[in-house]
């Protein structure tokens, strides 16, 4: 079993990071950025710390959880609790630090920060969710579906909890699920798996919630 996390010093040669390290970075970036977008969204609705952490964790993990249930896999945050830890601590840190950043720095655009964190989380989730679906089923149709679910379900739950129209379902909003599904279908049908027919073990075994 491949253990996600930072590589042991000296385990890989100096220079470019290994493929496993890159995939691990994508996995954790998606979890963390999705949690941040959830906390920012909940904070604009004046939720307290518990509410922000709950919304942050749901945003980060709901999509990957639904995907794993559909694929008859243990939820990824049970198999790899480090993702749960990243979501919880990332949410807490955002709740504490974000007001300080807004009040004591030149950066004031909460909406822009939300869009960037949401976009990074969704992009990471789409790639990893699609590869996991393909590795589990060998079918590009299923891979497109799992990629879409992984990328959007957490954000939909976030928006519902915050009493906002789900941004992934409205073409006039900044993100549109239909465009992502079409791009993933074209890419999957024309070129096969992103990492080839044998994706890295971290992609086959790990998963991501989100963005």
């Amino acid at each position: 079993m491949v253990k996600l996390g930072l590589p042991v010093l000296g385990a890989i040669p100096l220079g470019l990071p290994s493929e496993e390290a890159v995939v691990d970075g994508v996995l954790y970036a998606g979890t963390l950025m999705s949690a941040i977008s959830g906390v920012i969204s909940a904070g604009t609705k004046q939720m307290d710390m518990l509410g922000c952490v709950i919304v942050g964790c749901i945003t980060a993990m709901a999509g990957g959880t639904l995907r794993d249930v559909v694929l008859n896999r243990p939820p990824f945050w049970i198999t790899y609790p480090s993702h749960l830890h990243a979501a919880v601590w990332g949410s807490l840190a955002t709740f504490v630090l974000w007001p300080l950043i807004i009040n004591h720095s030149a950066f004031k655009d909460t909406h822009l920060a939300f869009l960037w964190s949401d976009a990074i989380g969704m992009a990471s989730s789409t790639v990893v969710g699609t590869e996991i679906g393909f590795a589990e089923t060998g079918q590009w149709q299923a891979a497109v579906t799992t990629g879409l679910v992984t990328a959007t379900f957490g954000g939909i739950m976030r928006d519902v909890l915050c009493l906002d129209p789900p941004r992934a379902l409205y073409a006039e909003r900044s993100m549109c699920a239909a465009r992502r599904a079409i791009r993933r279908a074209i890419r999957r049908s024309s070129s096969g798996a992103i990492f080839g027919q044998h994706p890295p073990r971290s992609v086959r075994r790990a998963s991501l919630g989100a963005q």
Side-chain angles (χ1 to χ4, degrees):
M1 177 181 294
V2 176
K3 184 178 181 181
L4 297 180
L6 295 176
V8 178
L9 184 62
I12 58 174
L14 297 177
L16 294 176
S18 69
E19 188 176 81
E20 294 290 331
V22 171
V23 173
D24 284 354
V26 172
L27 291 169
Y28 285 104
T31 298
L32 184 59
M33 297 308 291
S34 295
I36 291 174
S37 76
V39 174
I40 293 176
S41 184
T44 60
K45 298 298 182 178
Q46 304 301 313
M47 291 190 188
D48 61 9
M49 183 177 67
L50 179 61
C52 287
V53 171
I54 290 174
V55 173
C57 290
I58 288 175
T59 307
M61 298 185 295
T65 300
L66 178 60
R67 178 205 60 230
D68 290 340
V69 170
V70 170
L71 293 175
N72 197 28
R73 294 158 45 100
F76 71 99
W77 49 272
I78 294 178
T79 305
Y80 298 100
S82 54
H83 282 280
L84 176 60
H85 298 163
V88 171
W89 290 109
S91 297
L92 285 170
T94 303
F95 179 83
V96 172
L97 296 177
W98 184 248
L100 300 177
I101 295 174
I102 293 296
N103 294 329
H104 298 90
S105 73
F107 184 78
K108 305 292 184 182
D109 195 338
T110 299
H111 184 64
L112 180 62
F114 169 80
L115 290 179
W116 272 103
S117 58
D118 196 35
I120 295 173
M122 294 177 78
S124 303
S125 301
T126 301
V127 172
V128 176
T130 300
E131 289 305 321
I132 289 173
F134 189 79
E136 290 287 333
T137 66
Q139 301 177 3
W140 70 266
Q141 299 94 329
V144 169
T145 302
T146 56
L148 185 62
V149 167
T150 307
T152 61
F153 189 68
I156 291 173
M157 292 298 297
R158 174 201 63 216
D159 293 338
V160 169
L161 290 172
C162 293
L163 303 180
D164 287 328
R167 64 191 309 105
L169 303 182
Y170 288 83
E172 68 271 14
R173 305 200 74 188
S174 57
M175 307 248 176
C176 181
R179 292 196 292 268
R180 284 193 301 279
I182 292 171
R183 287 197 298 268
R184 299 304 300 159
I186 293 174
R187 186 171 184 177
R188 176 61 59 190
S189 60
S190 62
S191 61
I194 295 173
F195 296 105
Q197 296 301 317
H198 302 288
R201 288 173 293 173
S202 291
V203 170
R204 295 198 301 269
R205 293 187 176 184
S207 49
L208 179 63
Q211 150 212 38

